[in-house]
Amino acid sequence: MYDMTIRLQTDSSVCLYEQIYEHIKREIRGGKLLEGERLPSTRSLADYLQVARSTVDYAYGQLLDEGYIESRPCKGYFVCPLEEVLQIEDREGTVKKQRAVVSPDMHFPKEEAEQNKMLYEYDFSPHDIDMSGFPFSVWKKITRSILTDANRDLFSRGEPQGDYDLRLTISRYLHSSRGVNCEPEQIVVGAGNDYLLMLLEKILGRHVRIAMEYPTYGRSRQIFQSFAYHIVTVDMDENGMMVKQLDREDVSAVYVMPSHQFPSGVVMPIGRRLELLKWAYREPGRYVIEDDYDSEFRYHGKPIPALQASDEQGRVIYLGSFSKAIAPAIRVSFMVLPKPLLEKYRRDCSFYSCTVSRIDQSILNCFIRDGYFERHLNKMRKMYRAKHELLLECLKPFRNDFTISGENAGLHLLLTSKKNLPEAELVRRAAEQGVRVYGLIDSMKDAEACKEYEDSRAGTILLGFGALNREQIEEGVGRLHKVWL
């Protein structure tokens, strides 16, 4: 055992614990730390590096989780057998390749099948987020506090709609941040929007005729198709869904993303929102499903209130999630039901158990209630704003050949070819440079709709920036410059 010479860069944007973690991982992979070799104790290494012991704890904890080191009771930390580390590296390589190739929210045309076997150096995914800003220490502190309290109630089944304390906290947060007017009794907590939409199908019934924006979020479309819903696509303009087209369609429900439509990035103005609500009010039994996608990340002007905030007759079903604002693994979403539908839920669905662990609910409740979530959001907005502005700056040379849109909010921008280059060609050229980009067609998940779109419009590419750092954005856009301009 020896103290490690690790050059920590205090002025770096990379956290100290992450620098320690990366250094030890490189030493193990490079064979400089051998199988069975003992590492310094966390106290010893913290004293040597002049950092907090918790910083070393986090680094060691990550190495433990990934299998690079093991902890032996009363003995310390040791490097895992080389064979196990090699297996981990293989799995990491497989996962990385799959992540660059297959996203659960994307659809790929057949002609791209061979391209998708490649390993991309730069992935402009519109779905990934930056986990470097996650408050690990706060999350760990809250978790430890909750588990040491030995509250036996946490291990009981709990309420079907989710714990009341969390629903109360969510209702207060929604009212202050999004203008949503609701009581805790109207909120249903679930593990992801998929589950909540399945619950909603039990409430609204089967064979519902539903209108969706064109193009729209493909995963929701797939879920509605699995319900045997009849889906009607409604065109969009610069203000979002063209509500006047709804009057020509026999539909009783509408699915929209007014705060930041995916994938177009359109923000629906108040006039169009009121027009949509008037449509819902004209007939009984009409509802608007508001998916508040990317609502937390707006970089210019004041936050736009939710559509539900303008609803005076209880016709808006509000969906939200913490997966993108905190971390994908959180898997906590929520649905705000209008009071008439709440009665149906209690009658027909209250026997379904909540799909979120009560421990996770308690942790999230403390995280939001005690102000950590707001501070985390402010931090992430600052980080994403800097990336957003950098990407726009890097894309200035593209403006003669591409129309740039969707820059008002969210974690991606859209580039539409002015020379009518097809999306498949743009994606192929980028892939040749080791850059992964995403076509607008990928969001549709409907072969017929894809063909119609491909035949009628210029290629549009989604460039996500959430998970990329400054150097990756600059280098990735630089490679696109070589093959697109």
Side-chain angles (χ1 to χ4, degrees):
M1 179 185 72
Y2 58 93
D3 287 323
M4 297 181 183
T5 303
I6 304 176
R7 296 180 180 178
L8 297 179
Q9 299 179 2
T10 56
D11 58 344
S12 171
S13 60
V14 181
C15 301
L16 292 178
Y17 90 87
E18 191 171 348
Q19 294 182 44
I20 298 171
Y21 154 77
E22 289 289 353
H23 174 85
I24 297 175
K25 184 171 73 170
R26 283 196 302 270
E27 295 286 286
I28 295 174
R29 286 184 169 185
K32 296 178 182 179
L33 284 174
L34 303 179
E35 171 188 337
E37 191 166 349
R38 185 180 177 186
L39 301 182
S41 68
T42 56
R43 184 186 299 277
S44 170
L45 186 57
D47 290 342
Y48 181 78
L49 297 176
Q50 294 294 293
V51 297
R53 186 177 178 184
S54 60
T55 301
V56 181
D57 281 334
Y58 299 146
Y60 276 22
Q62 186 66 28
L63 292 165
L64 278 169
D65 291 341
E66 296 185 15
Y68 287 103
I69 63 176
E70 60 182 356
S71 175
R72 300 176 187 174
C74 304
K75 293 184 179 180
Y77 296 95
F78 296 81
V79 178
C80 282
L82 183 61
E83 181 181 356
E84 294 182 15
V85 174
L86 290 175
Q87 289 174 353
I88 289 168
E89 287 184 343
D90 288 342
R91 290 198 299 271
E92 284 184 345
T94 301
V95 170
K96 184 176 181 181
K97 186 170 183 178
Q98 289 175 344
R99 188 168 72 90
V101 170
V102 180
S103 170
D105 295 311
M106 288 296 180
H107 162 81
F108 303 107
K110 292 181 180 179
E111 59 267 22
E112 295 183 10
E114 291 303 316
Q115 295 179 21
N116 294 338
K117 296 178 181 177
M118 298 176 57
L119 179 61
Y120 295 89
E121 295 180 64
Y122 303 97
D123 188 350
F124 284 88
S125 170
H127 301 289
D128 292 344
I129 67 172
D130 191 338
M131 287 301 299
S132 66
F134 183 80
F136 290 98
S137 59
V138 171
W139 201 265
K140 184 176 180 180
K141 181 181 74 172
I142 295 174
T143 303
R144 185 188 299 117
S145 173
I146 287 174
L147 293 178
T148 53
D149 284 345
N151 185 351
R152 295 183 180 180
D153 290 341
L154 288 180
F155 296 91
S156 61
R157 177 175 243 179
E159 301 174 66
Q161 291 180 233
D163 287 353
Y164 182 85
D165 288 347
L166 175 60
R167 289 186 282 125
L168 175 61
T169 298
I170 290 175
S171 68
R172 292 170 62 87
Y173 162 72
L174 289 178
H175 183 69
S176 62
S177 66
R178 307 293 298 122
V180 172
N181 299 305
C182 68
E183 300 172 1
E185 290 77 11
Q186 294 175 254
I187 295 176
V188 180
V189 174
N193 282 10
D194 295 3
Y195 168 76
L196 296 176
L197 288 177
M198 286 189 285
L199 270 185
L200 191 57
E201 186 260 348
K202 303 298 181 185
I203 299 171
L204 297 180
R206 295 184 67 83
H207 306 293
V208 170
R209 292 179 62 86
I210 185 170
M212 302 187 76
E213 299 152 316
Y214 179 79
T216 190
Y217 183 45
R219 188 169 184 84
S220 295
R221 182 185 178 98
Q222 281 188 318
I223 293 172
F224 290 136
Q225 285 175 331
S226 73
F227 300 158
Y229 278 13
H230 179 80
I231 298 174
V232 174
T233 56
V234 178
D235 291 331
M236 297 175 59
D237 59 16
E238 66 277 6
N239 292 324
M241 176 181 278
M242 300 174 69
V243 178
K244 290 182 179 179
Q245 291 188 14
L246 289 177
D247 293 327
R248 301 196 296 265
E249 305 290 348
D250 181 21
V251 296
S252 59
V254 175
Y255 175 89
V256 292
M257 293 172 278
S259 294
H260 185 238
Q261 202 271 345
F262 186 89
S264 71
V266 170
V267 177
M268 186 181 288
I270 186 64
R272 185 63 58 86
R273 293 176 181 225
L274 295 177
E275 189 179 352
L276 183 58
L277 288 176
K278 287 180 181 178
W279 169 86
Y281 296 160
R282 278 199 289 270
E283 297 286 343
R286 286 181 175 177
Y287 290 97
V288 177
I289 302 170
E290 177 184 12
D291 188 342
D292 207 14
Y293 183 83
D294 265 355
S295 63
E296 296 88 359
F297 304 117
R298 180 172 172 80
Y299 310 116
H300 304 288
K302 296 181 179 180
I304 297 177
L307 174 65
Q308 197 267 6
S310 302
D311 180 22
E312 298 179 351
Q313 298 186 25
R315 298 298 183 89
V316 176
I317 302 163
Y318 180 90
L319 291 173
S321 172
F322 294 106
S323 294
K324 211 158 190 179
I326 302 178
I330 298 300
R331 298 301 297 161
V332 178
S333 297
F334 50 89
M335 175 169 61
V336 179
L337 291 172
K339 291 184 177 179
L341 292 185
L342 181 61
E343 296 176 8
K344 287 188 177 181
Y345 166 81
R346 288 173 174 166
R347 184 184 68 234
D348 301 333
C349 303
S350 59
F351 61 89
Y352 287 105
S353 298
C354 182
T355 51
V356 181
S357 158
R358 297 196 68 197
I359 295 175
D360 290 340
Q361 291 186 60
S362 297
I363 295 170
L364 182 59
N365 180 49
C366 292
F367 188 70
I368 302 172
R369 182 196 62 202
D370 296 343
Y372 297 113
F373 181 50
E374 184 177 359
R375 288 194 287 273
H376 173 66
L377 273 182
N378 290 335
K379 176 183 178 181
M380 297 311 296
R381 286 191 189 105
K382 185 177 180 180
M383 291 176 61
Y384 289 141
R385 183 184 296 112
K387 295 182 183 185
H388 177 265
E389 292 173 354
L390 173 64
L391 181 55
L392 284 173
E393 181 68 25
C394 292
L395 290 175
K396 281 185 177 180
F398 290 71
R399 292 187 179 273
N400 289 334
D401 296 272
F402 291 86
T403 300
I404 300 174
S405 59
E407 65 270 26
N408 290 323
L411 300 181
H412 73 273
L413 301 175
L414 293 92
L415 276 70
T416 301
S417 173
K418 293 180 180 179
K419 297 181 178 180
N420 293 325
L421 287 174
E423 286 178 17
E425 176 65 15
L426 293 170
V427 172
R428 183 190 65 78
R429 292 185 188 182
E432 290 176 352
Q433 291 290 318
V435 180
R436 180 65 187 276
V437 297
Y438 297 76
L440 188 62
I441 291 175
D442 295 337
S443 69
M444 298 182 184
K445 293 187 186 291
D446 184 290
E448 188 174 327
C450 287
K451 185 65 170 64
E452 179 186 344
Y453 174 84
E454 194 168 19
D455 290 344
S456 63
R457 307 191 190 191
T460 298
I461 295 297
L462 279 66
L463 287 184
F465 54 85
L468 300 177
N469 60 34
R470 183 181 186 88
E471 292 74 19
Q472 290 170 329
I473 291 173
E474 292 175 339
E475 177 62 24
V477 174
R479 294 192 184 190
L480 295 178
H481 187 279
K482 295 177 183 178
V483 292
W484 284 1
L485 301 184

